[in-house]
Amino acid sequence: MLSLQVFCENMKISIIIVNYNVAYFLEQCLRSVYRAIDNIDAEVFVVDNNSVDNSVEMVKRRFPQVKLIANTKNLGFSKANNQAIRMSRGEYVLLLNPDTVVEPDTFEKVLAFMDEHPQCGALGVKMVDGKGKFLPESKRSLPIPSVAFYKIFGLSALFKKSKRFGKYHLTYLDEDEINKVEVLSGAFMLLRKSALDKVGLLDEDYFMYGEDIDLSYRIMQGGYDNYYFPQTRIIHYKGESTKKSSINYVIVFYKAMQIFAQKHFSANNAKLFNFLISLAICLRAALAIVKRVILKLLMPFIDFLFIYGGLLVCAFYWHARIMPANEQYSNIFLYIILPIYAFVWVLCIFFNKGYKIPINVQKVSKGVVTGAIVLLLIYALMSEQWRFSRAVLLLGIGWTFVVTFLLRAIVGKLHLKNYPLADNVRHRILIIGDEQSVVRVDNLLRKVNYTADFIGYVYYLEEEKPNKNFIGHIGQLNEIIDVYKIGELVFCEQNFSIKQIINLMTTLSSANLDYKIAPENGNYIIGSHSISTSGEVYAMNINSIGNKDNRIKKRLFDIAVSLFLLCTFVVNVWAVKNKGKYVKNIFACLLGKKTWIGYLSGSIDRNADLPAIKQGVLAFSEHLHVTDPDLIVQINSFYAKDYRVLNDLQAMIKTFKEAGR
């Protein structure tokens, strides 16, 4: 679907954003863009590649002035950008990622530079990640075989200041100086439209990645220069929609490099480059797989060894101190049954999410208790000949509790990066803004049950005596962070410009802080999720039914209810009005085509911001027979932002007779 208002006259800049399932980032990006083009003749395109997260509905509702192209399938980055470029009327075209935030004067500065340098065909800016750290891909050189070799084998990281080895990210160039470069990032790529007309649009052979390198190279071949321009900055929440640590990313990216080599290198160089790329894929994929497997299995394996070792010690102790000397434990018990005990405990810890990162000791203890109950039940149900030693099992239960907690305590003391304890993940937060804003953000954090050891307020202006609810003011920020051991800062966007936020982020970046931005009147917070990595981001929102864990819970609820209804069908079918449709609904929910509990109907267009769920057989609070559209919106919003399985169960019981409609 296409929402466009056509004008004949030209304009200064056409901004094109290709979006795929990052609605919250897109909203923040668009807010920053419209602030930055306030005094510029500009048009903004959003090309959505068939997102399923209500991105299109959000744009229609909140940014009706956007020229929206809603594709019915994912066309990839190049094709989607080309769709908008062909319709654009700007003297300049900007390709902009949805997971970026621009400064208020970004466009004024870059357009002035382009106007002053007619030979500049394309321009990129200084990019920082969600922790305020410089992103080296802001400036790059062409990945010729030698440059690729230095990158793949780590020489570029070892010799950053070398013009030979540091060429991939041009690390020998000052990140704060304007320079001609060879390759710009597609996250922010300002293009002269006349240059595009000469060299052509993005190459659609690239689905994702590599198209920015290809276009940068063709612009230089067309007689233009590419510039790195660090006098303005953007935040790039790098990698939200495409996790760059994944094996899939490595393969897709390097395959794109192979396409580039085949197009632009000589036959011999292309063969050499393809060999290096294939080698890189194998090495990176193998290392990623091995690392992932080791990290996943290491803690369960250590648990198994210590639990089994402790059970053996318990068996030998009991035999030496209590059992008659002429009685012996069989090898089956010692070397088959006891390992099975240990395996059952590890399995129960796993199913209770005791191995999820960060490690939650409470979930580990639930796993140990579950394992103990399972083993005691199995022991009770076994025939007498297979009941080896109740005493060893009981001693083993005590040992397993002790050793699993002891191991987690050791891990906690060591502060291992890959195995953080949930209790050790420090959530000491400062909210910076005016009085009304900090209270709103505080309430938002509490609504989503975001556990924090400490939440403090800092006034956004330098005032001698801010309100008594504030710890201090922005001029005292360094001292407050140090005294209160702060780990996270949340900026209230209505009180700060993006430039001010980036200035603070880059100034404080050495303090290893997390930074988040709370949009004005928004129901989410965006920032850097640095518990495991500093480059990924998360959107913390009150629409918790859209969270991955809650979607899993809802799906499991549908399956469990459907199976229960099938097992008790001869009894429950008499309580339902339309029995034939009831049977169809059971199988539809079991197969995932429907969900048992959905939103109240009657106001769908006004629920566009709510997470999408399957069509409901029944609806939350349906038994109240609400008809007022405003109240329906409120009820659906409550259901979405505070999803609980118990709510679904209660709704199911109260409206069960309608389950056959």
Side-chain angles (χ1 to χ4, degrees):
M1 188 180 115
L2 179 62
S3 299
L4 286 174
Q5 188 175 5
V6 180
F7 296 91
C8 296
E9 72 274 10
N10 291 326
M11 54 180 55
K12 192 67 177 176
I13 183 172
S14 300
I15 299 164
I16 300 171
I17 303 169
V18 175
N19 176 72
Y20 182 63
N21 289 329
V22 285
Y24 293 106
F25 294 88
L26 175 61
E27 181 179 347
Q28 188 183 55
C29 177
L30 287 171
R31 289 180 188 275
S32 71
V33 165
Y34 276 106
R35 279 193 290 267
I37 61 173
D38 193 38
N39 298 314
I40 298 172
D41 189 14
E43 61 182 353
V44 180
F45 290 86
V46 169
V47 187
D48 186 82
N49 269 335
N50 198 29
S51 296
V52 295
D53 66 345
N54 292 315
S55 292
V56 170
E57 291 80 2
M58 182 278 293
V59 172
K60 288 178 181 177
R61 281 170 53 82
R62 302 195 177 184
F63 303 95
Q65 68 273 46
V66 163
K67 298 181 178 181
L68 175 65
I69 301 173
N71 292 321
T72 55
K73 63 179 181 179
N74 188 351
L75 299 180
F77 186 79
S78 293
K79 285 185 179 180
N81 271 300
N82 286 346
Q83 281 180 290
I85 292 173
R86 291 187 181 100
M87 304 171 69
S88 65
R89 295 172 292 109
E91 179 185 350
Y92 299 103
V93 172
L94 173 67
L95 309 185
L96 185 66
N97 267 26
D99 57 346
T100 58
V101 185
V102 301
E103 292 182 333
D105 59 357
T106 290
F107 300 137
E108 292 177 0
K109 286 184 174 180
V110 296
L111 292 173
F113 183 86
M114 294 287 276
D115 287 342
E116 292 168 6
H117 297 78
Q119 278 303 111
C120 178
L123 176 145
V125 298
K126 183 176 183 178
M127 299 188 295
V128 299
D129 67 11
K131 288 178 71 68
K133 298 192 182 297
F134 174 69
L135 290 173
E137 58 265 37
S138 301
K139 49 182 173 63
R140 288 176 290 172
S141 64
L142 288 171
I144 59 176
S146 61
V147 173
F149 179 86
Y150 302 145
K151 168 67 175 172
I152 291 167
F153 290 96
L155 295 174
S156 59
L158 286 174
F159 306 103
K160 292 182 178 180
K161 298 301 180 183
S162 167
K163 288 187 177 182
R164 174 187 290 272
F165 299 121
K167 203 169 183 182
Y168 187 83
H169 283 133
L170 302 172
T171 46
Y172 56 86
L173 295 178
D174 190 329
E175 66 185 53
D176 293 318
E177 286 184 3
I178 298 172
N179 274 292
K180 291 181 183 179
V181 297
E182 292 177 333
V183 174
L184 301 172
S185 169
F188 184 107
M189 195 172 189
L190 182 61
L191 302 157
R192 191 179 298 276
K193 186 66 175 294
S194 57
L196 274 179
D197 293 337
K198 182 177 180 180
V199 305
L201 305 185
L202 280 77
D203 190 331
E204 296 182 4
D205 287 343
Y206 301 91
F207 182 80
M208 184 178 290
Y209 312 120
E211 62 287 311
D212 50 359
I213 299 175
D214 182 272
L215 184 55
S216 296
Y217 181 58
R218 285 190 285 120
I219 286 172
M220 288 192 300
Q221 285 185 315
Y224 294 93
D225 295 320
N226 297 325
Y227 274 88
Y228 165 68
F229 182 77
Q231 292 183 4
T232 187
R233 301 158 299 179
I234 66 168
I235 299 174
H236 181 201
Y237 294 113
K238 175 184 169 186
E240 170 58 22
S241 56
T242 54
K243 304 299 183 187
K244 298 203 170 187
S245 60
S246 70
I247 298 170
N248 182 62
Y249 164 75
V250 173
I251 293 173
V252 172
F253 178 77
Y254 285 123
K255 288 292 184 185
M257 293 300 94
Q258 288 180 327
I259 295 173
F260 179 81
Q262 289 164 3
K263 282 185 60 180
H264 299 296
F265 293 167
S266 65
N268 289 335
N269 278 342
K271 286 181 181 179
L272 176 59
F273 190 83
N274 285 338
F275 170 75
L276 290 173
I277 291 300
S278 299
L279 181 62
I281 291 173
C282 292
L283 288 174
R284 290 285 297 273
L287 288 173
I289 291 170
V290 170
K291 181 180 179 181
R292 190 171 302 173
V293 169
I294 289 174
L295 290 177
K296 287 282 186 184
L297 296 182
L298 184 59
M299 186 59 73
F301 180 69
I302 292 174
D303 277 347
F304 176 84
L305 287 181
F306 275 88
I307 293 171
Y308 175 48
L311 289 170
L312 281 176
V313 171
C314 290
F316 292 137
Y317 170 82
W318 192 257
H319 176 263
R321 295 298 182 93
I322 308 298
M323 287 178 64
N326 60 339
E327 290 187 20
Q328 298 287 334
Y329 287 125
S330 69
N331 287 337
I332 291 177
F333 175 66
L334 293 175
Y335 304 117
I336 296 178
I337 300 300
L338 291 184
I340 289 174
Y341 286 177
F343 182 74
V344 167
W345 260 306
V346 169
L347 209 59
C348 289
I349 293 172
F350 171 79
F351 282 117
N352 280 276
K353 300 182 179 179
Y355 294 116
K356 285 194 72 174
I357 302 300
I359 297 170
N360 188 311
V361 176
Q362 188 176 3
K363 291 177 180 178
V364 174
S365 64
K366 283 182 181 179
V368 174
V369 171
T370 304
I373 293 171
V374 168
L375 290 172
L376 288 171
L377 286 173
I378 292 173
Y379 185 88
L381 294 172
M382 291 177 74
S383 61
E384 191 66 35
Q385 69 183 81
W386 290 103
R387 294 183 184 179
F388 288 96
S389 176
R390 183 187 299 117
V392 171
L393 178 55
L394 294 174
L395 287 171
I397 292 172
W399 164 252
T400 302
F401 266 110
V402 171
V403 76
T404 50
F405 279 96
L406 186 62
L407 286 172
R408 271 69 187 175
I410 293 171
V411 167
K413 289 292 184 184
L414 293 175
H415 296 284
L416 299 177
K417 180 182 177 181
N418 293 309
Y419 297 102
L421 288 187
D423 294 340
N424 284 356
V425 177
R426 192 177 65 185
H427 294 297
R428 298 183 65 81
I429 303 170
L430 287 182
I431 306 173
I432 311 174
D434 60 30
E435 185 170 8
Q436 184 177 358
S437 301
V438 296
V439 171
R440 184 185 71 82
V441 173
D442 191 346
N443 289 335
L444 175 58
L445 290 170
R446 297 181 194 280
K447 281 180 182 177
V448 294
N449 297 317
Y450 186 70
T451 55
D453 300 328
F454 172 83
I455 297 179
Y457 303 162
V458 172
Y459 198 64
Y460 73 107
L461 297 175
E462 289 194 38
E463 290 192 356
E464 290 277 330
K465 296 179 181 178
N467 183 292
K468 64 179 180 180
N469 294 325
F470 291 87
I471 298 173
H473 56 71
I474 191 72
Q476 302 166 317
L477 188 57
N478 279 307
E479 292 83 355
I480 293 171
I481 290 170
D482 184 53
V483 170
Y484 289 90
K485 311 299 180 189
I486 298 300
E488 301 178 15
L489 300 184
V490 181
F491 298 102
C492 300
E493 192 178 29
Q494 60 266 46
N495 302 130
F496 292 93
S497 71
I498 295 300
K499 176 172 282 193
Q500 289 174 308
I501 292 174
I502 295 177
N503 283 339
L504 285 167
M505 288 169 62
T506 53
T507 302
L508 300 169
S509 60
S510 61
N512 197 28
L513 294 164
D514 289 346
Y515 302 97
K516 300 176 178 65
I517 300 174
E520 186 176 4
N521 301 320
N523 59 2
Y524 59 92
I525 296 173
I526 290 180
S528 171
H529 187 353
S530 64
I531 291 172
S532 56
T533 58
S534 63
E536 296 179 353
V537 296
Y538 70 92
M540 184 168 57
N541 58 83
I542 61 176
N543 296 331
S544 59
I545 199 171
N547 294 344
K548 182 180 177 181
D549 287 346
N550 283 336
R551 287 186 181 277
I552 293 172
K553 288 177 185 177
K554 188 165 180 61
R555 181 75 189 108
L556 291 175
F557 172 82
D558 286 338
I559 293 171
V561 168
S562 300
L563 292 174
F564 174 77
L565 294 178
L566 282 175
C567 293
T568 61
F569 182 77
V570 293
V571 177
N572 63 59
V573 68
W574 306 106
V576 181
K577 292 178 181 178
N578 187 336
K579 296 173 177 52
K581 190 65 181 295
Y582 171 56
V583 174
K584 291 182 179 179
N585 286 338
I586 290 177
F587 284 101
C589 292
L590 186 62
L591 297 173
K593 295 180 179 179
K594 289 184 179 180
T595 184
W596 279 112
I597 307 299
Y599 294 132
L600 275 174
S601 60
S603 186
I604 295 189
D605 60 325
R606 299 180 65 187
N607 290 329
D609 290 334
L610 298 181
I613 58 176
K614 299 287 184 182
Q615 178 187 348
V617 174
L618 305 168
F620 178 69
S621 295
E622 182 179 345
H623 63 287
L624 299 176
H625 304 292
V626 176
T627 57
D628 179 64
D630 290 330
L631 188 53
I632 289 174
V633 170
Q634 292 179 28
I635 290 172
N636 286 338
S637 178
F638 171 80
Y639 176 65
K641 73 182 182 182
D642 190 26
Y643 175 74
R644 300 175 189 276
V645 172
L646 184 61
N647 288 341
D648 276 6
L649 183 60
Q650 290 173 342
M652 188 83 190
I653 293 170
K654 290 175 181 178
T655 57
F656 180 68
K657 64 182 180 180
E658 303 294 337
R661 67 183 177 201

